[in-house]
């Protein structure tokens, strides 16, 4: 009996010692981010994903940090961090208030904050142009900090960026400010085509990973991971992957044309492979291949035309105009031949749609396009820039000559009788390329001149002036 008691005591002692010596379970560190931040941070089938998520995982792996990325409302993420329930915040920008709360890592990701507005309001293009307007912003984001520095801006809190864009379409707000990655992804994902982005970013920023003040051990590990990441091509591969996913301002028709183009190319490759495998040697078979190749070339030519053509007006679309403007600017810089552009916008076009309906509005756009097409020179390139805006690229044309052309078009349009509508007018902005010009600032200059024409009563031509 005594032996049994001793044995029992010995077993209990060994068991309790093992329990006390057992290592505590490791707990993954919590890295929190904004759930409404696609394509940088968002949920896909209940799993955090996005460019930012992949970069954070790469940093954790490089630094051998046991951590997980969790996404939630940004305001809630910051509350949990302040309460000590999280270990880090990802993709966060510095501000005086945040510098008092957190220590920040080395730079994590560079980005642009840009203004988004309705395509009918090109005058909204700088932070100063937002004065007196209603501008959407999420609660607690860095964009809000930028807006709060201008007391003349009425900030409207939006639940997410999609709702913000819908509010711009409805006229509830005038614009919104957000990161370019986020805005362009949302427009592309939901196929929103009547929202434009200001050509010049409002602010270029750098985002970081933030830890609680004084948590030097974790911050050092994160910085170690960032440095190791910069020594490999992992970061570039992630950025390249996600930048290829960003599609901006593309219409449903253009998407269909692009998909059809790719499908036809795949069919062509499949057909040629089958014909090659069968070994077509006879003259009859060679003739069949030649005929099929010619058909494929014809199909490809038609598809190329679809891809660069605006379906409604038959003019070049914005993608073709962008490509042409880039090549003409390169030619201007090489040979110093003058290059000018004209942006024209139909006055009060929204009232035409509201009064007569969109079918009549479409007929006006087609008639407007034909009038301009027949009036410009053979060397000019005309296209539909978006909505009721049209762009003319004028190679080897100085500012004065472009102004004369615009004035001629304005006069023709003013005197023309449009079916069901009667007389309408248009406003014109004219600018010319200078040394150091790029596509963005050339378009911004023309938009600025157009805005002056609108503000001076419409139905007029204005030249861009830097003064």
């Amino acid at each position: 009996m005594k032996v049994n008691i001793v044995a029992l005591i010995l077993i209990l002692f060994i068991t309790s010692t093992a329990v006390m010596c057992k290592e505590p379970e490791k707990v993954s560190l919590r890295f929190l981010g904004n759930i409404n931040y696609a394509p940088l941070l968002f949920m896909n089938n209940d799993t955090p994903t996005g460019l930012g998520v992949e970069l954070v995982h790469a940093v954790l792996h490089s630094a051998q940090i046991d951590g997980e990325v969790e996404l939630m409302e940004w305001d809630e993420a910051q509350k949990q961090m302040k309460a000590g329930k999280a270990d880090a915040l990802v993709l966060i920008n510095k501000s005086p208030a945040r510098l008092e709360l957190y220590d920040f890592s080395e730079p994590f990701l560079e980005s642009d904050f840009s203004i988004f507005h309705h395509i009918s309001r090109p005058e909204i293009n700088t932070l100063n142009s937002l004065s007196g307007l209603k501008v959407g912003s999420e609660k607690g984001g860095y964009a809000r900090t930028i807006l709060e520095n201008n007391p003349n801006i009425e900030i409207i809190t939006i639940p997410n960026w999609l709702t913000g864009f819908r509010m711009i379409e409805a006229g509830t707000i005038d614009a919104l400010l957000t990161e370019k990655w986020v805005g362009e992804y949302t427009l592309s994902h939901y196929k929103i085509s009547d929202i434009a982005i200001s050509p010049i970013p409002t602010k270029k920023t750098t985002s970081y990973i933030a830890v609680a003040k004084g948590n030097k051990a974790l911050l050092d590990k994160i910085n170690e991971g960032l440095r190791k990441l910069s020594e490999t091509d992992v970061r570039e591969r992630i950025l390249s992957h996600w930048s290829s996913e960003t599609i901006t301002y593309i219409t449903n028709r253009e998407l269909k044309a692009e998909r059809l183009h790719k499908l036809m190319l795949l069919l062509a490759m499949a057909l040629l492979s089958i014909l090659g495998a069968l070994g077509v040697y006879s003259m009859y078979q060679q003739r069949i291949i030649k005929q099929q190749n010619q058909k494929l070339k014809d199909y490809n030519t038609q598809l190329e035309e679809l891809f660069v053509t605006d379906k409604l007006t038959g003019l070049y679309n914005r993608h073709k105009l962008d490509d042409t403007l880039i090549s003409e600017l390169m030619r201007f810089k090489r040979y110093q031949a003058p290059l000018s552009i004209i942006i024209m916008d139909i006055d009060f076009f929204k009232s035409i749609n509201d009064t007569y309906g969109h079918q009549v509005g479409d007929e006006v756009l087609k008639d407007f396009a034909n009038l301009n097409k027949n009036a410009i020179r053979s060397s000019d390139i005309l296209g539909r820039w978006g909505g009721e805006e049209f762009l003319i690229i004028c190679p080897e044309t100085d500012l004065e000559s472009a102004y004369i052309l615009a004035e001629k078009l304005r006069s023709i349009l003013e005197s023309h009788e449009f079916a069901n509508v009667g007389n309408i007018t248009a406003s014109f902005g004219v600018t010319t390329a200078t040394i150091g010009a790029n596509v963005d600032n050339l378009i911004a200059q023309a938009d600025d001149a157009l805005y002056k024409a609108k503000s001076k009563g419409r139905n007029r031509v204005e030249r861009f002036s830097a003064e």
Side-chain angles (χ1 to χ4, degrees), residues 222-353:
I222 292 170
N223 285 334
E224 177 189 346
L226 286 168
R227 284 191 290 270
K228 287 183 177 179
L229 203 61
S230 65
E231 295 170 359
T232 67
D233 65 344
V234 174
R235 172 187 287 273
E236 294 306 318
R237 282 194 282 112
I238 294 172
L239 291 174
S240 175
H241 165 69
W242 283 98
S243 65
S244 66
E245 299 297 321
T246 301
I247 310 169
T248 60
Y249 313 123
I250 188 165
T251 65
N252 290 333
R253 178 196 60 73
E254 290 163 341
L255 281 170
K256 290 176 183 176
E258 185 180 18
R259 290 167 184 160
L260 183 59
H261 188 191
K262 290 180 179 178
L263 177 60
M264 289 301 299
L265 289 176
L266 289 173
L267 289 174
M269 292 172 64
L271 178 61
L272 291 174
S273 297
I274 292 171
L275 291 174
L278 292 174
V280 185
Y281 299 111
S282 69
M283 291 296 294
Y284 171 76
Q285 290 169 322
Q286 290 295 330
R287 187 166 63 251
I288 293 296
I289 293 174
K290 186 176 180 180
Q291 291 172 351
Q292 292 298 326
N293 284 339
Q294 185 57 49
K295 285 182 180 180
L296 288 171
K297 288 179 180 178
D298 293 341
Y299 288 147
N300 286 336
T301 300
Q302 294 172 17
L303 288 170
E304 288 293 344
E305 290 177 357
L306 282 173
F307 191 66
V308 301
T309 304
D310 177 65
K311 184 177 181 181
L312 178 65
T313 63
L315 302 178
Y316 284 140
N317 60 22
R318 182 161 183 164
H319 297 286
K320 177 63 175 178
L321 290 171
D322 279 335
D323 290 342
T324 304
L325 196 50
I326 289 171
S327 63
E328 289 297 333
L329 267 173
M330 291 175 64
R331 195 159 70 92
F332 158 75
K333 291 175 181 178
R334 183 178 297 116
Y335 301 110
Q336 299 299 303
L339 170 66
S340 298
I341 65 170
I342 303 170
I343 286 184
M344 48 187 167
D345 181 271
I346 300 175
D347 296 328
F348 305 108
F349 183 75
K350 184 178 183 298
S351 66
I352 295 175
N353 281 335

Side-chain angles (χ1 to χ4, degrees), residues 206-217:
T206 302
S207 60
Y208 305 83
I209 300 175
V211 302
K213 205 74 174 173
N215 192 352
K216 186 175 184 301

Side-chain angles (χ1 to χ4, degrees), residues 342-347 364-376 382 388 390 392 405-418 421-428 459-461:
I342 303 170
I343 286 184
M344 48 187 167
D345 181 271
I346 300 175
D347 296 328
V364 168
L365 288 172
K366 288 191 281 187
D367 199 2
F368 183 89
N370 287 330
L371 282 171
N372 285 285
K373 184 178 179 181
N374 294 331
I376 62 175
L382 169 65
E388 64 272 24
F390 294 79
I392 306 175
L405 173 60
E407 189 60 42
K408 170 189 170 184
L409 297 175
R410 186 201 64 77
S411 179
I412 292 172
L413 295 169
E414 182 184 38
S415 60
H416 181 73
E417 189 82 13
F418 287 82
V421 176
N423 296 109
I424 66 171
T425 61
S427 300
F428 297 75
N459 188 25
R460 60 186 292 122
V461 180

Side-chain angles (χ1 to χ4, degrees), residues 8-257:
L8 179 60
I9 293 172
L10 183 60
I11 291 171
L12 290 172
F13 174 77
I14 293 171
T15 303
S16 62
T17 303
V19 170
M20 287 187 292
C21 293
K22 184 179 179 182
E23 291 185 6
E25 293 184 4
K26 290 185 177 179
V27 179
S28 293
L29 301 181
R30 299 180 70 209
F31 287 69
L32 307 188
N34 186 353
I35 196 172
N36 300 310
Y37 216 27
L40 304 177
L41 304 167
F42 63 102
M43 298 297 290
N44 183 20
N45 295 326
D46 298 324
T47 302
T49 189
L51 165 62
V53 173
E54 290 189 15
L55 283 175
V56 173
H57 283 158
V59 170
L60 297 179
H61 177 74
S62 297
Q64 297 183 336
I65 298 173
D66 184 11
E68 293 294 333
V69 179
E70 298 178 36
L71 304 182
M72 60 190 68
E73 296 296 329
W74 187 228
D75 197 42
E76 175 61 25
Q78 294 179 84
K79 286 180 181 178
Q80 291 201 24
M81 186 68 181
K82 290 177 183 177
K85 296 179 181 179
D87 300 282
L89 294 172
V90 300
L91 265 83
I92 181 170
N93 302 99
K94 291 180 180 179
S95 70
R98 289 172 177 173
L99 287 169
E100 293 181 3
L101 295 172
Y102 313 121
D103 286 330
F104 287 80
S105 69
E106 294 175 6
F108 181 67
L109 183 67
E110 293 183 351
S111 57
D112 295 337
F113 276 82
S114 297
I115 298 169
F116 290 79
H117 56 82
H118 197 271
I119 57 174
S120 64
R121 303 192 63 184
E123 71 275 10
I124 302 176
N125 51 36
T126 64
L127 197 59
N128 289 336
S129 70
L130 298 178
S131 292
L133 302 183
K134 295 180 179 179
V135 183
S137 171
E138 280 194 320
K139 183 179 180 181
Y142 184 68
R144 197 178 192 92
T145 303
I146 297 172
L147 295 173
E148 286 172 346
N149 288 328
N150 189 331
N152 296 321
I153 297 175
E154 183 179 351
I155 304 173
I156 305 297
T157 300
I158 57 175
N160 53 63
W161 300 119
L162 174 60
T163 301
F165 287 129
R166 296 303 186 203
M167 290 171 73
I168 292 177
E169 290 181 315
T172 310
I173 60 176
D174 300 290
L176 62 80
L177 179 67
T178 185
E179 202 163 25
K180 189 176 180 182
W181 281 91
V182 177
E184 290 187 337
Y185 179 88
T186 304
L187 293 176
S188 169
H189 184 73
Y190 293 98
K191 299 178 176 63
I192 301 172
S193 59
D194 53 357
I195 303 296
I197 181 174
S198 57
I200 301 174
T202 299
K203 191 172 183 64
K204 291 183 175 291
T205 63
T206 302
S207 60
Y208 305 83
I209 300 175
V211 302
K213 205 74 174 173
N215 192 352
K216 186 175 184 301
L218 178 56
L219 187 65
D220 288 345
K221 292 289 288 182
I222 292 170
N223 285 334
E224 177 189 346
L226 286 168
R227 284 191 290 270
K228 287 183 177 179
L229 203 61
S230 65
E231 295 170 359
T232 67
D233 65 344
V234 174
R235 172 187 287 273
E236 294 306 318
R237 282 194 282 112
I238 294 172
L239 291 174
S240 175
H241 165 69
W242 283 98
S243 65
S244 66
E245 299 297 321
T246 301
I247 310 169
T248 60
Y249 313 123
I250 188 165
T251 65
N252 290 333
R253 178 196 60 73
E254 290 163 341
L255 281 170
K256 290 176 183 176

